[in-house]
């Protein structure tokens, strides 16, 4: 079945610098959208739909698309990209999309959209990168933690997550603790093209979600008390979940992925200095593994209503820098990690206090393990003989 194309003329032209952000938000506009694209020049939006829309559906789609555009474009200013390191021209030997070879070798098994099982090659590579990130954590004497994959809804509520990132949340429920509901499910549950056929009334209300980040769990463990010793450095690895709709493609963008974080809590200077030291230490590590990348200012993918204000705020206060690895096969870059500073946001929201009674500042260094492995393979290929000596020896 070929897709139907619907082109919408944007009431406001979408500037080049916003085109990627607008495009990624269009994924959440309507379930009928299979693909969304801002045309070069930013005058039109091209939607691929499963079927031709009737006039009512068409005007509903147009209205929603224009709302996204208006909310993101009106009053937007081009944020200055600050580049802290640029090693994008580091020579790398490979130029193909590693996904094809990974699929062909059964090195990845796509279980569903955004959900992949990975095999020995990727697992070993991920373990190798994990070792490097753990060395970074050790260099700060970071205390190890293990956090749950689930997170209480009231935790996320307390840090305004629902308002900032509603689109990417993943909810968890279970059958109501009711014999009839459980019996009904046991006897009738089956999957069709829409998923499980069980009525929603069989399920308990949602009190829990799948965790979207690692460091939040630390801040909650420290909440409502003075910060022990006036500063804390911790590290943990965890499975994180962000639903990215039709943006979920290959190993680049997953619903279910793994993050290693090194987390700093304390006075402003301590957090900012630690973030900077971490960046410098990682620069030496990335040189050893031959990664072509650059570190540049960035913003989190806030939902449309919050986007403009929050992104400008992050940019003005230099709160987020991303490690963007080169993907030669598509002449673009992919964030494999980030250096973050949250000011005293979590300290204030969660009442974590410094010895002088003021709210603690927090920051984290976060690495996406699947993306790190994917970007490395995109630059060096699947054959270890083509890898830098340092990586080859470590994996031998
Ligand atoms: P962030 O907290 O958004 O800066 O995320 C930290 C790192 O996690 C990113 O730099 C990515 O490497 C990784 N990451 C974030 N979202 C995804 C995703 N949907 N799929 C795979 N990796 C991700
Ligand atoms: Zn974090």
């Amino acid at each position: 079945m070929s897709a139907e194309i619907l082109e919408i003329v944007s009431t406001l032209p979408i500037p080049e610098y916003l085109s990627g952000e607008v495009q990624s938000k269009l994924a959440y506009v309507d379930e009928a959208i299979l693909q969304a694209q801002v045309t070069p020049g930013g005058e039109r939006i091209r939607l691929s739909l499963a079927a031709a829309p009737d006039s009512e559906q068409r005007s509903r789609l147009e209205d929603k698309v224009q709302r996204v555009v208006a909310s993101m474009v009106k009053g937007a200013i081009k944020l200055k990209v600050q580049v802290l390191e640029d090693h994008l021209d580091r020579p790398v030997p490979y130029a193909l999309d590693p996904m094809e070879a990974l699929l062909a070798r059964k090195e990845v098994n796509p279980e569903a959209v955004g959900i992949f099982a990975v095999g020995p090659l990727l697992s070993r590579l991920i373990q190798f990168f994990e070792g490097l990130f753990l060395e970074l954590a050790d260099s700060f004497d970071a205390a190890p933690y293990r956090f749950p994959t689930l997170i209480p809804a009231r935790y996320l509520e307390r840090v305004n997550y629902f308002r900032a990132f509603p689109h990417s949340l993943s909810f968890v429920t279970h059958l109501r603790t009711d014999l009839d509901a459980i019996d009904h499910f046991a006897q009738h549950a089956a999957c069709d093209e829409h998923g499980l056929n069980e009525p929603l009334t069989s399920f308990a209300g949602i009190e829990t979600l799948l965790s979207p980040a690692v460091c939040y769990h630390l801040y909650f463990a420290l909440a409502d008390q003075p910060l022990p010793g006036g500063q804390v450095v911790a590290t943990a690895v965890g499975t994180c979940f962000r639903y990215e709709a039709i943006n979920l493609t290959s190993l680049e963008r997953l619903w279910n992925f793994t993050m290693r974080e090194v987390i700093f809590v304390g006075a402003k200077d301590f957090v900012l200095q630690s973030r900077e030291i971490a960046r410098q230490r990682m620069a030496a590590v990335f040189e050893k593994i031959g990664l072509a990348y650059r570190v540049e200012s960035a913003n989190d993918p806030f939902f449309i209503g919050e986007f403009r204000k929050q992104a400008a705020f992050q940019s003005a206060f230099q709160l987020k820098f991303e490690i963007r690895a080169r993907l030669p096969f598509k002449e673009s870059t992919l964030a494999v990690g980030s250096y973050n500073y949250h000011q005293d946001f979590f300290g204030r929201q969660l009442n974590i206090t410094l010895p002088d009674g003021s709210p603690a500042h927090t920051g984290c260094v976060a690495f996406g393990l699947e993306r790190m492995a994917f970007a490395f393979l995109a630059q060096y290929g699947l054959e270890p003989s083509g890898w830098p000596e340092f990586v080859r020896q470590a994996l031998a």
Side-chain angles (χ1 to χ4, degrees), residues 115-183:
I115 307 176
F116 289 88
V118 308
L121 176 77
L122 279 163
S123 300
R124 290 194 182 106
L125 256 186
I126 285 176
Q127 200 174 347
F128 164 69
F129 291 125
E130 255 287 74
L132 301 178
F133 303 140
L134 277 170
E135 280 175 23
L136 175 77
D138 279 347
S139 76
F140 286 100
D141 229 356
Y145 278 77
R146 289 172 61 82
F147 297 128
T149 299
L150 302 178
I151 192 160
R154 63 192 156 76
Y155 273 26
L156 292 176
E157 181 191 26
R158 204 172 159 191
V159 294
N160 290 345
Y161 203 92
F162 297 156
R163 183 175 281 271
F165 306 105
H167 53 302
S168 59
L169 292 167
S170 307
F171 303 90
V172 174
T173 183
H174 51 82
L175 288 172
R176 286 192 298 111
T177 46
D178 175 288
L179 190 59
D180 295 332
I182 298 170
D183 271 345

Side-chain angles (χ1 to χ4, degrees), residues 6-267:
L6 173 63
E7 276 211 349
I8 299 174
V9 178
S10 177
T11 47
L12 293 169
I14 301 157
E16 166 83 33
Y17 66 85
L18 270 183
S19 134
E21 294 281 4
V22 171
Q23 195 159 303
S24 73
K25 295 300 180 296
L26 291 172
Y28 301 96
V29 161
D30 196 284
E31 285 166 332
I33 299 175
L34 304 177
Q35 245 187 346
Q37 200 197 349
V38 175
T39 58
E43 270 129 32
R44 285 160 193 274
I45 285 133
R46 190 173 296 138
L47 303 179
S48 305
L49 308 170
D54 60 27
S55 67
E56 191 200 331
Q57 191 189 15
R58 193 189 164 104
S59 71
R60 202 180 59 232
L61 279 166
E62 287 189 356
D63 174 62
K64 288 200 272 185
V65 164
Q66 301 293 7
R67 262 160 54 204
V68 173
V69 173
S71 156
M72 295 189 71
V73 173
K74 214 186 255 170
I77 43 166
K78 185 167 194 261
L79 304 176
K80 228 176 101 210
V81 177
Q82 200 190 345
V83 178
L84 300 186
E85 292 172 53
D86 193 346
H87 304 290
L88 276 182
D89 59 359
R90 201 165 263 164
V92 294
Y94 202 68
L96 303 178
D97 180 353
M99 204 57 198
E100 285 164 30
L102 288 169
L103 285 166
R105 285 191 190 191
K106 309 267 184 232
E107 184 56 41
V108 294
N109 180 41
E111 297 190 359
V113 176
I115 307 176
F116 289 88
V118 308
L121 176 77
L122 279 163
S123 300
R124 290 194 182 106
L125 256 186
I126 285 176
Q127 200 174 347
F128 164 69
F129 291 125
E130 255 287 74
L132 301 178
F133 303 140
L134 277 170
E135 280 175 23
L136 175 77
D138 279 347
S139 76
F140 286 100
D141 229 356
Y145 278 77
R146 289 172 61 82
F147 297 128
T149 299
L150 302 178
I151 192 160
R154 63 192 156 76
Y155 273 26
L156 292 176
E157 181 191 26
R158 204 172 159 191
V159 294
N160 290 345
Y161 203 92
F162 297 156
R163 183 175 281 271
F165 306 105
H167 53 302
S168 59
L169 292 167
S170 307
F171 303 90
V172 174
T173 183
H174 51 82
L175 288 172
R176 286 192 298 111
T177 46
D178 175 288
L179 190 59
D180 295 332
I182 298 170
D183 271 345
H184 182 272
F185 183 85
Q187 273 154 45
H188 302 285
C191 292
D192 59 25
E193 73 273 26
H194 306 294
L196 266 176
N197 61 357
E198 190 68 11
L200 284 178
T201 48
S202 295
F203 295 97
I206 293 164
E207 293 174 51
T208 310
L209 288 89
L210 292 171
S211 190
V214 172
C215 60
Y216 289 24
H217 294 274
L218 179 73
Y219 309 144
F220 282 103
L222 298 171
D224 300 313
Q225 56 186 316
L227 186 64
Q231 67 188 42
V232 166
V233 183
T235 188
V237 66
T239 308
C240 297
F241 301 83
R242 296 184 191 169
Y243 183 69
E244 306 210 19
I246 54 172
N247 300 327
L248 294 166
T249 50
S250 83
L251 282 182
E252 283 177 57
R253 203 165 287 283
L254 303 171
W255 186 0
N256 177 143
F257 62 98
T258 327
M259 216 194 286
R260 161 67 63 180
E261 292 203 35
V262 184
I263 311 157
F264 307 101
V265 188

Side-chain angles (χ1 to χ4, degrees), residues 21 81-88 242 244 253 275 279 286 291-301 314 318-326 333-341 364-367 371:
E21 294 281 4
V81 177
Q82 200 190 345
V83 178
L84 300 186
E85 292 172 53
D86 193 346
H87 304 290
L88 276 182
R242 296 184 191 169
E244 306 210 19
R253 203 165 287 283
R275 180 176 75 156
R279 183 183 70 75
F286 291 139
L291 192 73
Y293 72 101
R294 114 184 178 161
V295 176
E296 63 183 35
S297 55
N299 55 261
D300 284 312
Q314 277 190 322
Q318 305 189 348
L319 301 186
K320 187 175 192 80
F321 291 94
E322 279 181 342
I323 305 154
R324 299 200 66 92
R326 193 172 149 220
T333 60
L334 178 69
V336 296
S338 62
Y339 302 111
N340 305 286
Y341 170 48
C364 69
V365 179
F367 303 100
R371 278 197 186 174

